[in-house]
Amino acid sequence: MNQAQEIQIQTVIQRPVAEVWTYWTEPEHIKSWNAASDDWHTTEATNDVQAGGRFSSHMAAKDGSVGFDFSGVYLEVILYEKLAYTIDDGRHVTILFTANGDETEVVETFEAESTNPPEMQQAGWQAILDRFKAYTEQQ
């Protein structure tokens, strides 16, 4: 079995880490930013932020043509520092939050899936992270 390719994305958000963590983890906030483009949205989100806790987001095209669930289980949670989880398809994701005064660096590393080109996956995940940054900085 081949080891999955890891892809890394990142951003710096002009907000303290405690605020960034809240916007990343609370379902009502997740529904406000979790989409790669304006024609998609997250209609439902649940998040039990603890090791062994499950999370789930239902992402859908706004025209109702297609949708999917993105869900998994947390492996490790370190408040304001790290989230590590396994997506239900078996891939691993790690998100690191690094505080630097009133700004926070977010670095997300995920295992690529085999259906779409890695560049497309990186662009899609980065688009979501960019939307998260814009949402968080507007709050």
Side-chain angles (χ1 to χ4, degrees):
M1 182 173 177
N2 292 339
Q3 185 173 9
Q5 176 183 350
E6 285 193 342
I7 298 173
Q8 189 173 89
I9 58 172
Q10 62 189 49
T11 194
V12 175
I13 300 169
Q14 302 303 312
R15 286 280 188 256
V17 70
E19 291 179 24
V20 171
W21 183 272
T22 296
Y23 295 132
W24 189 274
T25 59
E26 290 189 1
E28 285 309 306
H29 291 294
I30 293 168
K31 291 184 339 187
S32 297
W33 60 261
N34 191 31
S37 62
D38 289 340
D39 54 344
W40 280 75
H41 61 161
T42 294
T43 59
E44 296 177 39
T46 61
N47 201 14
D48 182 10
V49 188
Q50 62 179 331
R54 286 196 57 79
F55 65 87
S56 179
S57 296
H58 184 75
M59 301 172 80
K62 288 183 177 177
D63 67 6
S65 62
V66 66
F68 65 93
D69 290 325
F70 182 84
S71 56
V73 176
Y74 287 105
L75 303 171
E76 183 178 12
V77 175
I78 302 172
L79 184 65
Y80 305 144
E81 292 180 21
K82 180 179 182 181
L83 294 170
Y85 59 85
T86 301
I87 305 170
D88 285 343
D89 67 8
R91 294 182 295 139
H92 293 95
V93 179
T94 301
I95 305 144
L96 300 176
F97 301 83
T98 304
N100 185 14
D102 283 341
E103 67 179 29
T104 304
E105 180 183 38
V106 179
V107 178
E108 192 168 3
T109 305
F110 65 95
E111 292 177 339
E113 43 91 354
S114 58
T115 305
N116 296 295
E119 300 78 19
M120 177 187 285
Q121 295 175 63
Q122 182 171 12
W125 284 57
Q126 184 69 54
I128 293 170
L129 186 57
D130 292 346
R131 287 175 68 94
F132 173 73
K133 172 185 170 73
Y135 173 79
T136 300
E137 289 181 350
Q138 291 170 3
Q139 297 306 303

